[in-house]
Amino acid sequence: MRLEELPDDVFVLGAHARDWRDAVHLAGEALVAGGVTTDSYTERMVRVVEEFGAYIVIAPGLALAHARPGPDVVHDGLAVVTLDEPVAFGHPHNDPVEVVLALAVTSNEGHVTVLADLANVFNDPTATRSIAQAATVGGVRAVLGQARPEP
């Protein structure tokens, strides 16, 4: 999976979340809408944070929700959710979060390509804020380096 292959269904802009659990659920719902996972994957992403803490907040304002490969992952995919109001995940330095990415892979090796693509995008310190402020999927795609005309 490459970033340029993401379907529009996996983008949710300006969503409201009461807390980090809501934010992860929104990202999981986007994965389900895109046909990437089933509902049970969302609960597994929540359990990862409950068990291991807010390490998924990988940069200021940016969380990368995920869980291990499993039968609830239909195919490799990524969802992008922007929040209307940032929420705290409990990270000592990178809270609050305004962009939640959700990654699902079918194998332990499946994440390498997309993580490399994401690293390239988020090497730009303005990328998270630019995605958070994007008003359209096309605007998010432009930041991700995958601009294409909107229908």
Side-chain angles (χ1 to χ4, degrees), residues 15-129:
H16 182 73
R18 293 182 312 260
D19 56 23
W20 70 263
R21 280 182 179 81
D22 270 358
V24 172
H25 275 104
L26 289 165
E29 289 167 10
L31 289 173
V32 172
V36 177
T37 66
T38 64
D39 290 327
S40 63
Y41 186 76
T42 301
E43 294 310 316
R44 291 200 305 119
M45 290 192 299
V46 168
R47 284 195 302 272
V48 165
V49 179
E50 290 172 343
E51 184 174 346
F52 299 109
Y55 82 95
I56 70 164
V57 184
I58 59 173
L62 178 66
L64 179 60
H66 60 281
R68 296 187 56 76
D72 47 7
V73 179
V74 178
H75 61 81
D76 294 354
L78 182 79
V80 180
V81 175
T82 65
L83 301 174
D84 64 351
E85 296 282 332
V87 298
F89 274 66
H91 193 280
H93 307 293
N94 294 332
D95 270 346
V97 169
E98 57 188 347
V99 175
V100 181
L101 306 177
L103 177 65
V105 294
T106 57
S107 71
N108 288 326
E109 296 77 30
H111 66 288
V112 175
T113 300
V114 74
L115 288 180
D117 288 349
L118 290 172
N120 288 332
V121 170
F122 292 101
N123 276 337
D124 178 348
T126 67
T128 300
R129 190 78 190 123

